[in-house]
């Protein structure tokens, strides 16, 4: 028996308009596959674009974005076989605010 797992495609089109992004999506052919749902939002700041699709699906005014959720300590990639393990600088972006909990993204 074959099961189909849902897929999500999340992208950013920084510096372009909402209409330009919609045209790219329309031309890509992605909307012809299965039964897709498409959502496009516009005028996101950098922090807004980083949290879009994770904790919100609308661009919020900058003073409404809780940027503290971006202050995480990066996790290293898992080691694969005999390859060297890639690690990040293990410090948060800001030392003047609390470190955020790791994001747990679930497979829906």
């Amino acid at each position: 028996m074959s099961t189909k797992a849902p897929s999500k495609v999340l992208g950013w089109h920084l510096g372009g308009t909402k209409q330009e992004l919609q045209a790219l999506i329309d031309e890509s052919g992605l909307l012809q596959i299965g039964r897709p749902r498409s959502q496009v939002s516009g005028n996101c700041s950098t922090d807004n674009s980083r949290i879009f699709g994770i904790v919100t699906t609308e661009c919020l005014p900058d003073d409404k974005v809780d940027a503290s959720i971006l202050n995480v300590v990066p996790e290293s990639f898992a080691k694969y076989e005999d390859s060297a393990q890639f690690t990040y600088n293990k410090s948060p972006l800001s030392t003047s605010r609390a470190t955020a909990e790791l994001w747990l993204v679930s497979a829906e």
Side-chain angles (χ1 to χ4, degrees):
M1 180 164 87
S2 172
T3 1
K4 294 182 181 178
S7 298
K8 282 187 179 181
V9 176
L10 177 62
W12 295 268
H13 183 60
L14 303 177
T17 66
K18 190 174 176 177
Q19 293 76 18
E20 289 171 332
L21 176 57
Q22 188 63 60
L24 288 170
I25 293 168
D26 294 344
E27 293 167 10
S28 73
L30 285 172
L31 299 179
Q32 310 308 313
I33 302 169
R35 295 181 303 271
R37 291 181 304 175
S38 175
Q39 179 176 353
V40 176
S41 193
N43 298 321
C44 286
S45 68
T46 300
D47 284 348
N48 265 284
S49 68
R50 288 180 177 151
I51 64 170
F52 189 88
I54 307 295
V55 295
T56 185
T57 55
E58 293 297 326
C59 290
L60 306 169
D62 283 341
D63 62 344
K64 301 291 184 204
V65 175
D66 180 7
S68 68
I69 67 170
L70 302 172
N71 197 40
V72 296
V73 175
E75 285 274 310
S76 301
F77 287 120
K79 184 166 175 44
Y80 179 74
E81 296 181 349
D82 293 328
S83 300
Q85 183 175 16
F86 178 81
T87 59
Y88 293 97
N89 174 351
K90 292 283 195 171
S91 41
L93 183 62
S94 171
T95 55
S96 64
R97 66 171 25 143
T99 301
E101 294 293 322
L102 289 176
W103 294 6
L104 298 176
V105 180
S106 64
E108 295 178 6

